[in-house]
Amino acid sequence: MTKPSPQPSPPSRIRIGSAPDSWGVWFPDDPRQVPWQRFLDEVSGAGYTWIELGPYGYLPTDPAVLAEETARRGLRVSAGTVFTGLHHGPDVWDRTWAHVAENAALAQAVGAGHLVVIPSFWRDDRTGEVLEEPVLTGGQWRDLTRLTERLGREVRERYGLRIVVHPHADTHIDGEESVTRFLDATDPDAVALCLDTGHYAYAGGDSVKLIETYGERIGYLHLKQVDPEVLAGVVAEGVPFGPAVARGVMCEPPSGVPALEPVLAAASALDVDLFAIVEQDMYPCEPDVPYPIALRTRRFLRSCGV
């Protein structure tokens, strides 16, 4: 009796990309960062087809120029990124919207579908200066959730983009307690989550558990790992995020945590289209460091089936 041929696995619905962050880019203009042309050349050469815009002004902000530069390298844009401080209440709305609108307009113009929204830092990510209390009051939580919902609706109505809120170290949305509180308090139709596996692990969170529990809220992924030994020292010494990155707290996969294979398996089980953007924080770094890492990381992710 002839054995039936094995059925091929369905194609992954996860689209892999990378970002300026993986080239040590945190600011629109910094002499320690690689020029944007080199970033585009190398991210394409490493085998990626999707990128994020990174800090507004690092890549060209003229949509025609950006579209031409990305297209001729075989690249497409998945998202723009903004920082917000909406827990400060309605008084910051106009200023926030001006920042969001320029980013959203550029992202829309070059075909992106998402806007990554990162809460503002409670301490300076370079100097460690404490800027405000690390824990929000009840009123601040209400402002944060209500204004984020408003942001999600207005960005969608005006620019056709979906906002995905990014838990981040040294912000008020970081680990399991604050992330689940935020998700439980916001409208799924207006707000989705950008799960950054590295930042979530940095704050003690379990990415697989979060995907399995709040799968319908996961709208986007950042793939990142932390070095547990470096992280232990960072936590013990109260080191701010910027100096922690300089210590190498975010490391090259697959040498850190969380393991990305089960994260990708859990995300694939959702059976939805998801971007998974590689982001290995490396600011500052020598200009020749990122490209070999990008080549190895892309090869590793292919071995994971994506």
Side-chain angles (χ1 to χ4, degrees), residues 70 81 83 99 104 106 113 125 131 164 167 181 188-189 193 243 250 265 295 300:
T70 52
T81 302
F83 282 85
H99 168 58
L106 179 60
D125 63 330
L131 305 173
V164 286
R181 180 175 181 175
D189 289 335
L193 193 76
M250 299 299 182
L295 287 167
F300 164 70

Side-chain angles (χ1 to χ4, degrees), residues 56 72 87 106 134 140 152 190 222 228 245 262 285 287 294:
Y56 185 81
R72 70 184 184 87
H87 64 286
L106 179 60
Q140 288 174 319
H222 279 172
V245 168
C285 68

Side-chain angles (χ1 to χ4, degrees), residues 62-297:
D62 182 325
V65 173
L66 182 57
E68 179 182 353
E69 294 289 347
T70 52
R72 70 184 184 87
R73 294 172 172 88
L75 297 171
R76 299 175 65 184
V77 177
S78 62
T81 302
V82 296
F83 282 85
T84 60
L86 294 173
H87 64 286
H88 290 297
D91 288 348
V92 304
W93 176 261
D94 289 344
R95 183 169 71 251
T96 300
W97 182 254
H99 168 58
V100 167
E102 64 180 2
N103 280 270
L106 179 60
Q108 178 195 42
V110 293
H114 297 81
L115 189 68
V116 178
V117 176
I118 302 177
S120 58
F121 290 91
W122 58 263
R123 63 177 170 183
D124 189 277
D125 63 330
R126 288 197 281 185
T127 68
E129 178 190 358
V130 175
L131 305 173
E132 56 184 302
E133 291 296 319
V135 178
L136 297 179
T137 66
Q140 288 174 319
W141 267 109
R142 285 189 294 275
D143 284 333
L144 173 63
T145 54
R146 292 171 183 172
L147 289 176
T148 304
E149 288 175 337
R150 178 184 174 187
L151 189 73
R153 294 187 181 104
E154 296 205 17
V155 167
R156 182 176 57 200
E157 290 169 5
R158 300 190 192 194
Y159 298 102
L161 305 179
R162 185 186 192 191
I163 72 162
V164 286
V165 175
H166 180 322
H168 196 291
D170 285 358
T171 76
H172 296 107
I173 305 176
D174 53 3
E176 181 177 1
E177 181 179 358
S178 57
V179 169
T180 55
R181 180 175 181 175
F182 177 78
L183 290 175
D184 289 342
T186 50
D187 181 355
D189 289 335
V191 181
L193 193 76
C194 169
L195 170 58
D196 184 300
T197 59
H199 281 279
Y200 201 54
Y202 190 105
D206 182 331
S207 290
V208 172
K209 178 184 175 183
L210 185 66
I211 294 170
E212 292 175 345
T213 307
Y214 285 90
E216 75 284 355
R217 301 299 301 275
I218 308 297
Y220 201 90
L221 294 173
H222 279 172
L223 300 180
K224 188 179 297 178
Q225 288 188 322
V226 297
D227 182 317
E229 292 187 7
V230 176
L231 180 62
V234 164
V235 173
E237 298 171 35
V239 177
F241 181 65
V245 168
R247 288 190 184 191
V249 72
M250 299 299 182
C251 60
E252 177 182 345
S255 61
V257 296
L260 295 182
E261 297 93 332
V263 171
L264 290 165
S268 294
L270 298 175
D271 198 28
V272 297
D273 294 325
L274 278 176
F275 283 105
I277 305 300
V278 177
E279 276 204 334
Q280 182 184 344
D281 292 293
M282 292 196 292
Y283 178 86
C285 68
E286 293 299 318
D288 293 335
V289 169
Y291 184 54
I293 293 176
L295 287 167
R296 292 190 296 266
T297 301

